[in-house]
Amino acid sequence: MSDQYEDQSLCPIVHSTGLVGDRWSILIVRELLMGQGRFQDLQAQTGATSQMLSARLKRLEADGIVERQTYSEKPLRYEYRLTAKGLHLMPVILALRTWGERWVKPEGAPAAVRMFHRVCGSELELDGNCPVCRRLAPWTEMAGRPDEAWLTERKTRAETFTENLKKAACGARESDQ
Amino acid sequence: MSDQYEDQSLCPIVHSTGLVGDRWSILIVRELLMGQGRFQDLQAQTGATSQMLSARLKRLEADGIVERQTYSEKPLRYEYRLTAKGLHLMPVILALRTWGERWVKPEGAPAAVRMFHRVCGSELELDGNCPVCRRLAPWTEMAGRPDEAWLTERKTRAETFTENLKKAACGARESDQ
DNA sequence: AATCGTCAATATGATTTTCATAGTTACATA
DNA sequence: TATGTAACTATGAAAATCATATTGACGATT
C-alpha cells in the first residue's frame, strides 16, 4: 500500500492503522497509559528490543502521538509521554481490552485491570456499562485499578529484565580481560 | 516476545494484539464488517498481496475469528465471514474509526461512514454519543451508512484492481508465444 | 474443440523488517 | 579507580513481506 493511497483514502481505519497498526506501537501506548514513560520500563514491559523500541518511539513522536521530555539534566535523561492525540487512543486500548478479556484470555483468569465509574464509584462491566447509572460510561469518566496478580506479573518482569542486563554486563567485563 | 509469555500474561492487550495486532488483519476485519467476503474483494479493498491475504485469512481462521464458507459448489468457490468472536471486534474498529476521523484524517474530509442510532434513528456523534437519547449508544444499536464519496473510492479501487489483473493476464499470454 | 475469462489461491526470488547480541556515551556513586 | 545506571546505537543473521508470475478447476464463447 503506497503512502499516496493511504493519505488520500477516506477510510479512517486506513489512517489509524497507518500510525498504530502494529503490535509494538499499541503495547507502547498501553504502557504509557499505565504511567510508565521511561525507556527501560517500556522495554521491560513490552518485551521489545531496544532498537525496536527506539525506532517506534521516534515514529510515534514524529506522528505527534508521544513527546520526549527531559526528566534529568545531568545526567541527561528522557522519558516519554502521550500527547493529547496519544491520550485519545484510550478507547482503542479499552476496546482491545474488552475483546481480549472476553474472547482470548483463558477462562477464569482475573481481569488485569478493574474499571470504575468515577462519577458514582461503582465497578463497570466489561463492556463499559455502569450498572448503577444504567448507561455506558464514557472513557473520560473511567478509572482503572490494576489487579494484584497483574502488578506482581509486571514487577517480576521488571526484575527479570534488570537481572538479565546485569548478567550481560558481567559477561562483557569478563571477556574484556 | 515468546508464545509462552503471551499465553501466560494477564494483560488482555497482549492477547488481543497477538491475534489482530497488525495492519492487514485489521483491514480484513474492517472489510468483512462491510460485508465483503470474497478473496478478490478483500485483496482489492485492503491492498494486500494475494499471498499476504491468504496467510492472514488462514491465521484468522485458525484463531476462530473468520470462517471459510463455500458459496459455489461448481466451480468450487469460497468466501470468508466473521464468527461471533470476529464480530465482537466491531468496537475496536469503531474506536480506530473515531480516532482516525478526528486525529489523523485531513480536516474537512467527509466521514467515510455516518453512524445512526437504530433505536431512535438520529445520527450519532463521532464518539458514539446519541444527541437525542443523550447517552452513548452501544455498538449493537448502531447502523452505518457509507458516504457517497467513499463508495466511489471503493468502486474505483475495485475497477482498477480488475483492470490490472487483465493487463497482467495479457502480458502473460504475449510472452507465452 | 480450442480459447478465453473467472476466482481462489501458490511459487519464486528480491527486498525490507525484525531479532539476538553486544557495545557506546555520559554521568553518578562507592 | 572501578562499578553502576539510563538511554540508546551497531552489526550480522533470521524472518517477514513484496512484486511478479503462475496454477487449477471450471464455465462461457467462438
Side-chain angles (χ1 to χ4, degrees):
Chain A
M1 195 178 299
S2 66
D3 281 356
Q4 274 228 342
Y5 171 111
E6 184 178 325
D7 290 346
Q8 290 176 4
S9 175
L10 283 174
C11 176
I13 316 292
V14 167
H15 288 271
S16 293
T17 56
L19 303 195
V20 292
D22 75 279
R23 186 174 175 66
W24 297 129
S25 298
I26 293 172
L27 291 179
I28 289 168
V29 170
R30 175 206 68 179
E31 208 48 36
L32 293 176
L33 284 170
M34 290 282 299
Q36 299 289 310
R38 299 196 186 172
F39 194 91
Q40 293 208 46
D41 294 334
L42 291 172
Q43 207 189 330
Q45 298 300 331
T46 62
T49 61
S50 53
Q51 77 172 185
M52 179 83 285
L53 181 56
S54 177
R56 278 293 181 282
L57 286 170
K58 273 184 178 51
R59 213 176 66 184
L60 289 170
E61 194 182 2
D63 289 334
I65 293 167
V66 309
E67 56 193 4
R68 193 170 77 150
Q69 291 202 313
T70 302
Y71 73 85
S72 159
E73 289 289 352
K74 48 160 105 167
L76 194 51
R77 293 288 151 75
Y78 307 102
E79 72 180 349
Y80 294 87
R81 294 188 186 193
L82 291 169
T83 61
K85 183 176 179 180
L87 267 176
H88 279 75
L89 280 166
M90 174 89 84
V92 175
I93 300 291
L94 287 171
L96 287 168
R97 163 191 178 261
T98 298
W99 190 75
E101 290 286 2
R102 173 161 176 196
W103 293 95
V104 192
K105 275 176 67 172
E107 298 250 2
V113 176
R114 295 168 64 193
M115 301 296 296
F116 295 84
H117 197 190
R118 282 219 314 271
V119 305
C120 76
S122 64
E123 183 164 2
L124 296 169
E125 290 161 14
L126 197 48
D127 62 1
N129 193 56
C130 178
V132 172
C133 305
R134 297 176 164 277
R135 60 181 177 87
L136 288 176
W139 63 274
T140 47
E141 291 176 5
M142 293 182 184
R145 188 190 308 162
D147 184 86
E148 272 307 317
W150 194 43
L151 288 178
T152 304
E153 179 190 321
R154 291 170 59 81
K155 192 180 283 183
T156 304
R157 193 152 29 241
E159 282 162 6
T160 307
F161 179 77
T162 50
E163 271 171 37
N164 287 342
L165 272 190
K166 278 178 195 164
K167 273 186 206 156
C170 281
R173 233 172 298 120
E174 280 163 22
S175 61
D176 265 0
Q177 301 168 353
Chain B
M1 195 178 300
S2 68
D3 281 356
Q4 273 228 342
Y5 171 113
E6 184 177 326
D7 290 346
Q8 290 176 3
S9 175
L10 284 174
C11 177
I13 315 292
V14 166
H15 288 271
S16 293
T17 56
L19 303 194
V20 293
D22 75 278
R23 184 174 177 67
W24 298 128
S25 298
I26 293 172
L27 291 178
I28 289 167
V29 170
R30 174 206 69 179
E31 208 49 34
L32 294 176
L33 284 169
M34 291 281 300
Q36 300 289 309
R38 298 195 185 172
F39 195 90
Q40 294 207 45
D41 294 334
L42 292 172
Q43 206 189 331
Q45 297 300 331
T46 62
T49 62
S50 53
Q51 79 172 184
M52 178 83 285
L53 181 57
S54 177
R56 279 295 180 280
L57 286 169
K58 274 185 177 52
R59 213 177 66 183
L60 289 169
E61 194 181 2
D63 289 334
I65 294 166
V66 309
E67 55 193 5
R68 193 170 77 150
Q69 292 201 312
T70 301
Y71 74 84
S72 160
E73 290 289 353
K74 48 161 102 168
L76 193 53
R77 294 286 151 78
Y78 306 102
E79 71 179 349
Y80 294 87
R81 293 188 187 194
L82 291 170
T83 61
K85 184 176 178 179
L87 267 177
H88 279 75
L89 280 167
M90 174 88 84
V92 175
I93 301 291
L94 288 172
L96 286 168
R97 164 193 177 261
T98 299
W99 190 75
E101 290 286 3
R102 174 160 175 195
W103 293 96
V104 192
K105 275 177 66 173
E107 298 252 2
V113 176
R114 295 167 63 191
M115 300 297 296
F116 295 84
H117 197 190
R118 283 218 314 273
V119 306
C120 76
S122 64
E123 183 165 2
L124 295 169
E125 290 162 14
L126 197 49
D127 62 1
N129 192 58
C130 177
V132 172
C133 305
R134 296 179 164 276
R135 60 180 178 89
L136 287 176
W139 63 273
T140 47
E141 291 175 6
M142 293 182 185
R145 187 190 309 162
D147 184 87
E148 273 306 318
W150 194 44
L151 288 177
T152 304
E153 178 189 321
R154 292 171 60 81
K155 191 180 281 182
T156 304
R157 191 147 35 237
E159 283 163 5
T160 307
F161 179 78
T162 50
E163 270 172 37
N164 287 343
L165 272 190
K166 277 178 195 164
K167 273 186 205 158
C170 282
R173 231 172 299 122
E174 280 166 20
S175 61
D176 266 358
Q177 299 168 352

